[in-house]
Amino acid sequence: MADDEPMEEAPADAPAEGEVEVAEMSVLDALRDVLKRALIHGGLKRGLREVAKALDSRTAKLCCLAKDCDNAEYSNLVRALCDEGGVSLVMVDEGKQLGEWAGLCKINEEGEATSVVRCSAACVTEFGEDTRALSVLLTYLKAQAPEDK
């Protein structure tokens, strides 16, 4: 048994070191990082007006929509514009969460978000830096994309 334990641990640890970071970074964590980097680089549009303009002008590369958006017309417009332009759409659980990720909040001394403003839609026109989070997110989006495109 003593021989089996190190054998089990060694193979589990060796691939885990390379994959731990990828496994630990969920799609939502990657999305949060991508949105923050896009905001830093001036490539994040927030709100229906800015999102619709970016989608209509075909400058949007990625769009986020809150699942709890209470206006069906709003959701349908964003979905239709994404379909028309071939832009990937990521659904976020709550508008408050999307607002925090899009920088519509204040950060207190402890680094926690306060006074978060709800955001129903946001889109990325410029990703900024090429990071691991971006590659995780793009890999997820490619896997989710329909193959008939």
Side-chain angles (χ1 to χ4, degrees):
M1 264 185 129
D3 291 338
D4 290 342
E5 288 175 13
M7 292 297 284
E8 290 175 15
E9 287 177 9
D13 288 345
E17 287 180 22
E19 295 176 10
V20 163
E21 293 181 21
V22 174
E24 285 179 3
M25 179 167 279
S26 71
V27 175
L28 291 178
D29 290 338
L31 178 63
R32 179 178 57 226
D33 187 59
V34 167
L35 290 176
K36 286 185 180 184
R37 292 196 188 276
L39 179 63
I40 291 169
H41 290 278
L44 184 64
K45 306 298 180 192
R46 305 168 288 195
L48 179 62
R49 183 177 175 88
E50 288 185 25
V51 168
K53 283 172 41 178
L55 288 169
D56 196 36
S57 66
R58 310 260 195 234
T59 57
K61 299 178 181 176
L62 169 71
C63 189
C64 302
L65 182 66
K67 290 180 184 176
D68 66 351
C69 178
D70 52 0
N71 190 339
E73 293 172 352
Y74 188 112
S75 296
N76 291 339
L77 175 65
V78 172
R79 289 173 195 264
L81 288 171
C82 285
D83 287 343
E84 183 180 309
V87 176
S88 298
L89 180 66
V90 178
M91 299 300 290
V92 179
D93 291 332
E94 297 178 3
K96 288 265 189 189
Q97 187 178 40
L98 183 56
E100 179 182 341
W101 294 352
L104 297 173
C105 62
K106 293 182 180 180
I107 307 295
N108 65 12
E109 294 85 24
E110 290 85 35
E112 298 172 2
T114 60
S115 304
V116 179
V117 176
R118 190 169 173 265
C119 179
S120 293
C123 72
V124 177
T125 57
E126 188 60 47
F127 289 116
E129 305 164 10
D130 191 20
T131 61
R132 187 174 58 83
L134 179 60
S135 61
V136 167
L137 185 60
L138 292 177
T139 302
Y140 168 77
L141 293 174
K142 284 180 186 173
Q144 297 298 315
E147 293 183 22
D148 59 349
K149 284 186 178 179

